[in-house]
Coordinates of all heavy atoms in Angstrom, one line a residue:
M1 N -30.9 58.8 -63.1 CA -30.2 58.0 -64.2 C -30.0 56.7 -63.9 O -29.5 56.3 -62.8 CB -28.8 58.8 -64.4 CG -28.1 58.2 -65.6 SD -26.5 59.1 -65.7 CE -26.4 59.3 -67.5
K2 N -30.4 55.8 -64.8 CA -30.3 54.2 -64.5 C -28.9 53.8 -64.7 O -28.2 54.3 -65.7 CB -31.2 53.6 -65.5 CG -31.3 52.1 -65.2 CD -32.4 51.6 -66.1 CE -32.5 50.0 -66.0 NZ -31.8 49.3 -65.0
E3 N -28.4 53.0 -63.7 CA -27.1 52.4 -63.9 C -27.1 51.3 -64.9 O -28.1 50.8 -65.2 CB -26.5 52.0 -62.5 CG -27.2 50.9 -61.8 CD -26.6 50.5 -60.6 OE1 -26.6 51.3 -59.7 OE2 -26.1 49.4 -60.4
N4 N -25.9 50.9 -65.4 CA -25.8 49.8 -66.3 C -26.2 48.6 -65.8 O -26.0 48.1 -64.6 CB -24.4 49.6 -66.8 CG -24.0 50.6 -67.8 OD1 -24.7 51.6 -68.0 ND2 -22.7 50.6 -68.3
S5 N -27.0 47.7 -66.6 CA -27.4 46.4 -66.1 C -26.6 45.5 -66.9 O -26.2 45.7 -68.0 CB -29.0 46.2 -66.6 OG -29.8 47.1 -66.0
K6 N -26.2 44.3 -66.3 CA -25.4 43.4 -66.9 C -26.1 42.0 -66.7 O -26.7 41.6 -65.6 CB -24.0 43.2 -66.1 CG -23.0 44.3 -66.6 CD -21.7 44.1 -66.0 CE -20.7 45.1 -66.2 NZ -19.4 44.8 -65.8
R7 N -26.1 41.2 -67.7 CA -26.6 39.9 -67.7 C -25.7 39.0 -68.5 O -25.1 39.4 -69.5 CB -28.0 39.8 -68.6 CG -29.1 40.6 -68.0 CD -29.8 39.9 -66.8 NE -30.9 40.7 -66.4 CZ -32.0 40.1 -66.2 NH1 -32.3 38.8 -66.3 NH2 -33.0 40.9 -65.8
H8 N -25.6 37.7 -68.1 CA -24.8 36.7 -68.7 C -25.6 35.8 -69.5 O -26.7 35.2 -68.9 CB -23.8 36.0 -67.7 CG -22.9 36.9 -66.9 ND1 -21.9 37.4 -67.4 CD2 -23.0 37.3 -65.7 CE1 -21.2 38.1 -66.6 NE2 -21.9 38.2 -65.5
I9 N -25.3 35.5 -70.6 CA -26.2 34.7 -71.5 C -25.3 33.7 -72.3 O -24.2 33.9 -72.4 CB -27.1 35.5 -72.6 CG1 -26.3 36.3 -73.5 CG2 -28.0 36.5 -71.8 CD1 -27.0 36.9 -74.7
R10 N -26.0 32.8 -72.9 CA -25.4 31.9 -73.9 C -26.2 31.9 -75.1 O -27.4 31.9 -75.1 CB -25.3 30.5 -73.4 CG -24.2 30.2 -72.4 CD -24.1 28.7 -72.1 NE -22.9 28.5 -71.1 CZ -21.7 28.2 -71.5 NH1 -21.4 28.2 -72.8 NH2 -20.8 28.0 -70.7
L11 N -25.5 31.9 -76.2 CA -26.3 31.9 -77.6 C -25.6 31.0 -78.5 O -24.3 30.6 -78.4 CB -26.1 33.3 -78.3 CG -26.7 34.6 -77.6 CD1 -26.3 35.8 -78.5 CD2 -28.2 34.5 -77.6
N12 N -26.3 30.3 -79.4 CA -25.8 29.5 -80.4 C -26.0 30.2 -81.7 O -26.8 31.3 -81.7 CB -26.3 28.0 -80.4 CG -27.8 28.1 -80.7 OD1 -28.3 28.6 -81.4 ND2 -28.5 27.1 -79.8
L13 N -25.4 29.7 -82.7 CA -25.4 30.6 -84.1 C -26.8 30.8 -84.5 O -27.2 31.9 -84.9 CB -24.5 29.8 -85.1 CG -24.2 30.5 -86.4 CD1 -23.6 31.9 -86.1 CD2 -23.5 29.7 -87.3
S14 N -27.6 29.8 -84.3 CA -29.1 30.0 -84.8 C -30.0 30.9 -83.9 O -31.0 31.4 -84.3 CB -29.8 28.6 -84.7 OG -29.9 28.0 -83.5
E15 N -29.4 31.3 -82.7 CA -30.1 32.3 -81.9 C -29.6 33.7 -82.1 O -30.1 34.8 -81.6 CB -30.0 31.9 -80.4 CG -30.5 30.6 -80.1 CD -30.1 30.1 -78.8 OE1 -29.1 30.3 -78.3 OE2 -31.0 29.4 -78.2
V16 N -28.5 34.0 -82.9 CA -27.9 35.3 -83.0 C -28.8 36.3 -83.6 O -29.0 37.3 -83.1 CB -26.6 35.3 -83.6 CG1 -26.0 36.5 -84.1 CG2 -25.4 34.5 -82.8
A17 N -29.5 35.8 -84.7 CA -30.4 36.8 -85.4 C -31.6 37.1 -84.5 O -32.0 38.4 -84.5 CB -30.9 36.2 -86.7
D18 N -32.1 36.3 -83.6 CA -33.1 36.6 -82.7 C -32.6 37.5 -81.6 O -33.3 38.7 -81.2 CB -33.8 35.4 -82.0 CG -34.4 34.4 -83.0 OD1 -35.0 35.1 -84.1 OD2 -34.6 33.4 -82.8
F19 N -31.4 37.5 -81.1 CA -30.7 38.3 -80.2 C -30.6 39.7 -80.7 O -31.0 40.6 -80.1 CB -29.5 37.7 -79.6 CG -28.8 38.7 -78.8 CD1 -29.2 39.0 -77.5 CD2 -27.7 39.4 -79.3 CE1 -28.5 39.8 -76.7 CE2 -26.9 40.4 -78.6 CZ -27.4 40.6 -77.3
V20 N -30.0 39.8 -81.9 CA -29.8 41.1 -82.6 C -31.0 41.8 -82.8 O -31.3 43.0 -82.5 CB -28.9 40.9 -83.8 CG1 -28.9 42.3 -84.6 CG2 -27.6 40.5 -83.5
S21 N -32.1 41.1 -83.3 CA -33.3 41.6 -83.5 C -34.1 42.3 -82.3 O -34.6 43.3 -82.2 CB -34.4 40.7 -84.1 OG -35.7 41.1 -84.3
A22 N -33.9 41.4 -81.1 CA -34.4 42.0 -79.8 C -33.7 43.2 -79.3 O -34.2 44.2 -78.9 CB -34.3 40.8 -78.8
A23 N -32.3 43.2 -79.6 CA -31.5 44.4 -79.1 C -31.8 45.6 -80.0 O -31.8 46.7 -79.5 CB -30.0 44.1 -79.2
T24 N -32.0 45.3 -81.2 CA -32.4 46.5 -82.3 C -33.6 47.2 -81.8 O -33.8 48.4 -82.1 CB -32.4 46.0 -83.6 OG1 -31.2 45.3 -84.0 CG2 -32.7 47.1 -84.6
K25 N -34.6 46.5 -81.3 CA -35.9 47.2 -80.9 C -35.7 48.0 -79.7 O -36.6 48.9 -79.4 CB -36.9 46.1 -80.6 CG -37.2 45.4 -81.9 CD -38.1 44.1 -81.6 CE -38.4 43.4 -83.0 NZ -39.1 42.1 -82.8
C26 N -34.6 48.0 -78.9 CA -34.3 48.8 -77.7 C -34.0 50.1 -78.2 O -33.1 50.5 -79.1 CB -33.2 48.2 -76.9 SG -33.6 46.5 -76.2
N27 N -34.5 51.2 -77.5 CA -34.1 52.6 -77.8 C -33.0 53.0 -76.8 O -32.8 54.2 -76.6 CB -35.3 53.5 -77.6 CG -35.8 53.5 -76.2 OD1 -35.4 52.8 -75.2 ND2 -36.7 54.5 -76.0
F28 N -32.0 52.2 -76.5 CA -30.8 52.3 -75.7 C -29.7 51.6 -76.3 O -29.9 50.7 -77.0 CB -31.2 52.2 -74.2 CG -31.7 50.9 -73.9 CD1 -31.0 49.8 -73.7 CD2 -33.2 50.9 -73.8 CE1 -31.7 48.6 -73.5 CE2 -33.8 49.6 -73.5 CZ -33.1 48.5 -73.3
D29 N -28.6 52.0 -75.9 CA -27.3 51.2 -76.5 C -27.2 49.8 -75.7 O -27.4 49.7 -74.4 CB -26.0 52.0 -76.1 CG -25.9 53.2 -77.1 OD1 -26.5 53.1 -78.1 OD2 -25.2 54.0 -76.6
V30 N -26.8 48.8 -76.3 CA -26.7 47.5 -75.9 C -25.3 47.0 -76.4 O -25.1 46.9 -77.6 CB -27.7 46.4 -76.3 CG1 -27.7 45.1 -75.7 CG2 -29.2 47.1 -76.0
D31 N -24.4 46.6 -75.5 CA -23.2 46.0 -75.9 C -23.1 44.5 -75.3 O -23.8 44.1 -74.4 CB -22.1 46.7 -75.2 CG -21.9 48.1 -75.7 OD1 -22.0 48.4 -76.9 OD2 -21.5 49.0 -74.9
I32 N -22.4 43.7 -76.1 CA -22.3 42.3 -75.7 C -20.7 42.0 -75.8 O -20.1 42.6 -76.7 CB -23.1 41.4 -76.6 CG1 -22.9 40.0 -76.0 CG2 -22.7 41.5 -78.0 CD1 -24.0 39.0 -76.7
Y33 N -20.2 41.3 -74.9 CA -18.8 41.0 -74.9 C -18.3 39.8 -74.3 O -19.1 39.3 -73.4 CB -18.0 42.2 -74.3 CG -18.3 42.6 -72.8 CD1 -17.6 42.1 -71.7 CD2 -19.3 43.6 -72.5 CE1 -17.9 42.4 -70.5 CE2 -19.6 43.9 -71.2 CZ -18.9 43.3 -70.2 OH -19.2 43.6 -68.9
Y34 N -17.2 39.3 -74.6 CA -16.5 38.3 -74.0 C -15.1 38.6 -73.8 O -14.5 39.1 -74.8 CB -16.4 36.9 -75.0 CG -15.7 35.9 -74.4 CD1 -16.2 35.2 -73.3 CD2 -14.5 35.5 -75.0 CE1 -15.4 34.1 -72.8 CE2 -13.8 34.4 -74.5 CZ -14.2 33.7 -73.3 OH -13.5 32.8 -72.8
N35 N -14.6 38.5 -72.6 CA -13.2 39.0 -72.2 C -13.2 40.6 -72.5 O -14.1 41.3 -72.1 CB -12.2 38.3 -72.8 CG -11.9 36.9 -72.2 OD1 -12.4 36.7 -71.1 ND2 -11.2 36.0 -72.8
R36 N -12.2 40.9 -73.4 CA -12.3 42.4 -73.6 C -12.7 42.7 -75.0 O -12.7 43.9 -75.5 CB -10.7 42.8 -73.6 CG -10.2 42.7 -72.2 CD -8.8 43.3 -72.1 NE -8.2 43.0 -71.1 CZ -6.9 43.3 -70.7 NH1 -6.2 44.0 -71.6 NH2 -6.3 42.8 -69.6
Y37 N -13.3 41.9 -75.7 CA -13.8 42.0 -77.1 C -15.3 42.5 -76.9 O -16.1 41.7 -76.7 CB -13.7 40.6 -77.9 CG -14.0 40.9 -79.4 CD1 -13.3 41.9 -80.2 CD2 -15.0 40.1 -79.9 CE1 -13.6 42.0 -81.5 CE2 -15.3 40.3 -81.3 CZ -14.6 41.2 -82.0 OH -14.9 41.4 -83.4
V38 N -15.4 43.8 -77.1 CA -16.9 44.4 -77.0 C -17.4 44.8 -78.4 O -16.8 45.4 -79.2 CB -16.7 45.7 -76.2 CG1 -18.2 46.3 -75.9 CG2 -16.2 45.4 -74.7
V39 N -18.7 44.4 -78.6 CA -19.3 44.7 -79.9 C -20.6 45.4 -79.6 O -21.2 45.0 -78.6 CB -19.5 43.6 -80.8 CG1 -18.1 43.0 -81.3 CG2 -20.2 42.5 -80.2
D40 N -21.2 46.0 -80.5 CA -22.6 46.6 -80.5 C -23.5 45.4 -80.7 O -23.4 44.6 -81.7 CB -22.7 47.5 -81.7 CG -24.0 48.2 -81.7 OD1 -25.0 47.9 -81.0 OD2 -24.2 49.2 -82.5
A41 N -24.4 45.2 -79.7 CA -25.3 44.1 -79.8 C -26.2 44.2 -81.0 O -27.0 43.2 -81.3 CB -26.1 43.9 -78.5
K42 N -26.4 45.3 -81.6 CA -27.2 45.5 -82.7 C -26.5 45.1 -84.1 O -27.2 45.4 -85.1 CB -27.8 46.9 -82.7 CG -28.6 47.2 -81.4 CD -29.0 48.6 -81.3 CE -29.7 48.9 -79.9 NZ -30.4 50.3 -79.9
S43 N -25.3 44.7 -84.0 CA -24.5 44.3 -85.2 C -24.5 42.8 -85.3 O -23.7 42.2 -84.5 CB -23.2 44.9 -85.1 OG -22.2 44.2 -86.0
I44 N -25.2 42.2 -86.2 CA -25.1 40.8 -86.5 C -23.7 40.3 -86.7 O -23.3 39.2 -86.2 CB -26.1 40.2 -87.5 CG1 -26.4 38.8 -87.3 CG2 -25.8 40.6 -88.8 CD1 -27.7 38.3 -87.9
L45 N -23.0 40.9 -87.5 CA -21.5 40.5 -87.7 C -20.7 40.6 -86.6 O -19.9 39.7 -86.3 CB -21.0 41.3 -88.9 CG -21.5 41.1 -90.3 CD1 -21.0 41.9 -91.4 CD2 -21.4 39.6 -90.7
G46 N -20.9 41.6 -85.7 CA -20.2 41.7 -84.6 C -20.4 40.6 -83.5 O -19.5 40.0 -82.9
V47 N -21.7 40.3 -83.3 CA -22.1 39.1 -82.4 C -21.7 37.9 -82.9 O -21.1 37.0 -82.2 CB -23.6 39.2 -82.3 CG1 -24.1 38.1 -81.3 CG2 -24.1 40.5 -81.6
I48 N -21.8 37.5 -84.3 CA -21.2 36.3 -84.8 C -19.8 36.2 -84.6 O -19.3 35.0 -84.4 CB -21.6 36.2 -86.3 CG1 -23.1 35.9 -86.4 CG2 -20.8 35.1 -87.0 CD1 -23.6 36.1 -87.9
G49 N -19.1 37.3 -84.6 CA -17.6 37.2 -84.4 C -17.2 36.9 -83.0 O -15.9 36.6 -82.7
L50 N -18.1 36.9 -82.0 CA -17.8 36.4 -80.7 C -17.6 35.0 -80.4 O -18.2 34.2 -81.3 CB -18.8 37.0 -79.7 CG -19.0 38.5 -79.6 CD1 -20.2 38.8 -78.7 CD2 -17.7 39.0 -78.9
D51 N -17.0 34.5 -79.4 CA -16.9 33.1 -79.2 C -18.2 32.6 -78.6 O -18.4 32.8 -77.4 CB -15.7 32.9 -78.3 CG -15.4 31.4 -77.9 OD1 -16.2 30.5 -78.4 OD2 -14.4 31.1 -77.4
L52 N -19.0 32.0 -79.3 CA -20.3 31.6 -78.9 C -20.3 30.3 -78.0 O -21.3 29.9 -77.5 CB -21.3 31.3 -80.2 CG -21.4 32.6 -81.0 CD1 -22.4 32.3 -82.2 CD2 -22.1 33.8 -80.1
T53 N -19.1 29.7 -77.9 CA -19.0 28.5 -77.0 C -18.9 29.0 -75.6 O -18.9 28.0 -74.6 CB -17.8 27.6 -77.4 OG1 -16.6 28.3 -77.1 CG2 -18.0 27.2 -78.8
K54 N -18.7 30.3 -75.2 CA -18.5 30.9 -74.0 C -19.7 31.7 -73.5 O -20.5 32.2 -74.4 CB -17.3 31.6 -73.9 CG -16.0 31.0 -74.4 CD -15.5 30.0 -73.5 CE -14.2 29.4 -73.9 NZ -13.9 28.2 -73.7
P55 N -19.9 31.8 -72.2 CA -20.9 32.8 -71.7 C -20.6 34.1 -72.2 O -19.4 34.5 -72.1 CB -20.8 32.6 -70.2 CG -20.1 31.3 -69.9 CD -19.2 31.1 -71.1
L56 N -21.5 34.9 -72.5 CA -21.2 36.3 -73.0 C -22.0 37.2 -72.0 O -23.0 37.0 -71.3 CB -22.0 36.5 -74.3 CG -21.4 35.6 -75.4 CD1 -22.2 35.7 -76.7 CD2 -20.0 35.8 -75.8
T57 N -21.4 38.4 -71.9 CA -22.0 39.4 -71.1 C -22.7 40.5 -71.8 O -22.1 41.1 -72.8 CB -20.9 40.0 -70.2 OG1 -20.3 39.0 -69.4 CG2 -21.4 41.1 -69.1
V58 N -23.8 40.8 -71.6 CA -24.7 41.9 -72.1 C -24.8 43.0 -71.1 O -25.1 42.8 -69.9 CB -26.2 41.3 -72.6 CG1 -26.9 42.5 -73.2 CG2 -26.0 40.1 -73.4
E59 N -24.4 44.2 -71.6 CA -24.4 45.4 -70.7 C -25.3 46.4 -71.5 O -25.1 46.7 -72.7 CB -23.0 45.9 -70.5 CG -22.9 47.1 -69.5 CD -21.6 47.4 -69.0 OE1 -20.6 46.7 -69.5 OE2 -21.5 48.3 -68.4
Y60 N -26.3 47.1 -70.6 CA -27.2 48.0 -71.3 C -27.7 48.9 -70.2 O -27.5 48.7 -69.0 CB -28.4 47.3 -72.0 CG -29.0 46.3 -71.0 CD1 -30.2 46.6 -70.4 CD2 -28.5 45.1 -70.8 CE1 -30.9 45.9 -69.5 CE2 -29.2 44.1 -70.0 CZ -30.3 44.5 -69.4 OH -31.0 43.7 -68.6
R61 N -28.2 50.1 -70.7 CA -28.8 51.2 -69.8 C -30.1 51.5 -70.3 O -30.4 52.2 -71.2 CB -27.9 52.4 -69.7 CG -28.4 53.3 -68.8 CD -27.4 54.6 -68.9 NE -26.1 54.3 -68.6 CZ -25.5 54.8 -67.4 NH1 -26.1 55.6 -66.6 NH2 -24.2 54.5 -67.2
G62 N -31.2 50.8 -69.7 CA -32.6 51.1 -70.0 C -33.4 49.8 -69.8 O -32.9 48.8 -69.2
Y63 N -34.6 49.8 -70.2 CA -35.5 48.7 -69.9 C -36.4 48.5 -71.1 O -37.0 49.5 -71.6 CB -36.3 49.0 -68.6 CG -37.3 47.7 -68.5 CD1 -36.8 46.6 -67.8 CD2 -38.5 47.9 -68.9 CE1 -37.6 45.5 -67.5 CE2 -39.6 46.8 -68.5 CZ -38.9 45.6 -67.9 OH -39.8 44.6 -67.7
D64 N -36.5 47.3 -71.7 CA -37.4 46.8 -72.6 C -38.0 45.4 -72.2 O -37.1 44.5 -72.0 CB -36.7 46.8 -74.0 CG -37.7 46.4 -75.1 OD1 -38.4 47.2 -75.6 OD2 -37.7 45.1 -75.4
K65 N -39.2 45.3 -72.0 CA -39.7 44.0 -71.5 C -39.4 42.8 -72.3 O -39.0 41.8 -71.7 CB -41.2 44.2 -71.3 CG -41.9 42.9 -70.7 CD -43.4 43.1 -70.4 CE -43.9 41.9 -69.8 NZ -45.4 42.1 -69.6
S66 N -39.7 42.9 -73.6 CA -39.3 41.7 -74.5 C -37.8 41.3 -74.4 O -37.4 40.3 -74.6 CB -39.8 42.0 -75.9 OG -39.3 43.0 -76.6
F67 N -36.9 42.4 -74.4 CA -35.5 42.1 -74.4 C -35.1 41.5 -73.1 O -34.3 40.5 -73.1 CB -34.9 43.4 -74.5 CG -33.2 43.4 -74.7 CD1 -32.8 42.5 -75.7 CD2 -32.5 43.9 -73.6 CE1 -31.3 42.5 -75.8 CE2 -31.1 43.8 -73.8 CZ -30.5 43.1 -75.0
E68 N -35.8 41.9 -72.0 CA -35.4 41.3 -70.7 C -36.0 39.8 -70.7 O -35.2 38.9 -70.2 CB -36.2 42.0 -69.5 CG -35.7 43.4 -69.3 CD -34.3 43.4 -68.5 OE1 -34.0 42.4 -67.9 OE2 -33.6 44.4 -68.6
Q69 N -37.1 39.6 -71.3 CA -37.5 38.2 -71.4 C -36.5 37.4 -72.2 O -36.2 36.1 -71.8 CB -38.9 38.2 -72.0 CG -40.0 38.8 -71.1 CD -41.3 38.9 -71.7 OE1 -41.5 39.0 -73.0 NE2 -42.4 39.0 -70.9
F70 N -36.1 37.9 -73.3 CA -35.0 37.1 -74.2 C -33.7 36.8 -73.3 O -33.4 35.7 -73.3 CB -34.6 38.1 -75.4 CG -33.7 37.2 -76.4 CD1 -34.3 36.5 -77.3 CD2 -32.5 37.1 -76.1 CE1 -33.4 35.8 -78.1 CE2 -31.5 36.5 -76.9 CZ -32.1 35.8 -78.0
L71 N -33.3 37.8 -72.5 CA -32.1 37.6 -71.8 C -32.3 36.5 -70.6 O -31.4 35.6 -70.4 CB -31.7 38.9 -71.1 CG -31.1 40.0 -72.0 CD1 -30.8 41.3 -71.2 CD2 -30.0 39.5 -72.9
V72 N -33.5 36.6 -70.0 CA -33.8 35.5 -69.1 C -33.8 34.1 -69.6 O -33.4 33.1 -69.1 CB -35.1 35.8 -68.3 CG1 -35.7 34.8 -67.5 CG2 -35.0 37.2 -67.5
A73 N -34.5 34.0 -70.8 CA -34.6 32.8 -71.5 C -33.2 32.2 -71.8 O -33.2 30.9 -72.1 CB -35.5 32.9 -72.6
H74 N -32.2 33.0 -72.0 CA -30.9 32.6 -72.5 C -29.8 32.8 -71.5 O -28.6 32.8 -71.7 CB -30.5 33.3 -73.7 CG -31.5 33.0 -75.0 ND1 -32.7 33.6 -75.2 CD2 -31.3 32.0 -75.9 CE1 -33.2 33.1 -76.2 NE2 -32.3 32.0 -76.7
A75 N -30.3 32.8 -70.2 CA -29.3 33.1 -69.1 C -28.3 32.0 -69.0 O -28.7 30.8 -69.2 CB -30.1 33.2 -67.8
A76 N -27.0 32.3 -68.6 CA -25.9 31.4 -68.6 C -25.9 30.9 -67.3 O -26.1 31.6 -66.2 CB -24.5 32.1 -69.0

């Protein structure tokens, strides 16, 4: 069983749709959070509701090459 992976990323408003699209293609759960506010990364409204001026933490259990590439490109 794979343990949870965590990555810290930064997003601006114009990148949220691309992030949600990349997360939606994953066949595993993806959460994104800032402080204690956790949302489903596959929810565009949830992600927009986060404080995008701060680094965000993405937590997931699984592997998807294109999702990993997105996270690396937006690393905080």
Side-chain angles (χ1 to χ4, degrees):
M1 184 179 219
K2 185 172 176 8
E3 66 181 64
N4 284 2
S5 298
K6 284 187 184 182
R7 298 277 185 134
H8 299 285
I9 65 168
R10 283 190 177 270
L11 295 174
N12 61 45
L13 192 56
S14 65
E15 296 166 329
V16 169
D18 292 335
F19 171 75
V20 171
S21 176
T24 300
K25 293 174 185 168
C26 297
N27 64 352
F28 46 86
D29 289 336
V30 182
D31 292 324
I32 185 167
Y33 59 91
Y34 174 70
N35 285 342
R36 294 189 197 175
Y37 188 58
V38 181
V39 298
D40 181 350
K42 298 177 184 183
S43 165
I44 195 160
L45 290 177
V47 177
I48 287 173
L50 293 171
D51 185 353
L52 299 177
T53 65
K54 308 288 187 208
L56 305 170
T57 303
V58 180
E59 188 169 353
Y60 54 99
R61 183 183 298 248
Y63 179 81
D64 180 87
K65 184 177 180 180
S66 61
F67 186 62
E68 291 287 339
Q69 290 171 337
F70 185 94
L71 296 177
V72 168
H74 293 85

